[in-house]
Amino acid sequence: MDPKALLRQAYEEARAGYEEGGLPIGSVLADAAGRVVARGRNRRVQTGDPTAHAEVVCLRNAGRRRDWPELTLVSTLSPCVMCTGTALLYRIPRVIVGENRNFLGDEDLFAARGVKVDVLQDPDCVELMARFVREKPDLWNEDIGL
């Protein structure tokens, strides 16, 4: 499994969300062989659904499964408490994070539950999110509940 290649696919989801006028956060879910089984992007703005964060959309797109404990969740940004809780609910054992400089989610909850978290601090993820926060601070603050 190549974490950078998986993150690149999540980043493409983030770019697509940004181009749609939404938040530039993307996610993919990969099996043990590194094959992407689902993908998603933050669609909160596009759909009006406050729970449509990238990770939740990705997990919804994965559908009903029994292999959650064998999967890896990849997100361009450190997951918020809602997305962290969803991953914990389904016992996903590994999370790859593109960056946590623009937003530090609830990575401590993952650690407390034994989830392996790899933060890559990918420059493209950092730059895209920073640009969005500069361009649309009100929309960003709405997304994180400020």
Side-chain angles (χ1 to χ4, degrees), residues 27-88:
S27 184
V28 297
L29 192 63
D31 67 14
R35 291 182 299 258
V36 172
V37 298
R39 57 187 67 240
R41 59 181 165 267
N42 186 302
R43 298 193 44 81
R44 197 181 60 76
V45 172
Q46 297 92 316
T47 64
D49 177 355
T51 68
H53 287 205
E55 300 87 347
V56 171
V57 171
C58 182
L59 296 177
R60 284 179 188 154
N61 289 339
R64 293 179 61 195
R65 309 184 68 90
R66 295 191 177 264
D67 63 344
W68 297 107
E70 300 164 21
L71 303 177
T72 296
L73 181 65
V74 182
S75 180
T76 57
L77 188 66
S78 182
C80 73
V81 68
M82 176 180 68
C83 297
T84 298
T86 303
L88 290 173

Side-chain angles (χ1 to χ4, degrees), residues 12-30:
E12 292 306 320
E13 288 292 324
R15 292 260 334 142
Y18 179 77
E19 291 166 8
E20 293 170 354
L23 282 86
I25 305 167
S27 184
V28 297
L29 192 63

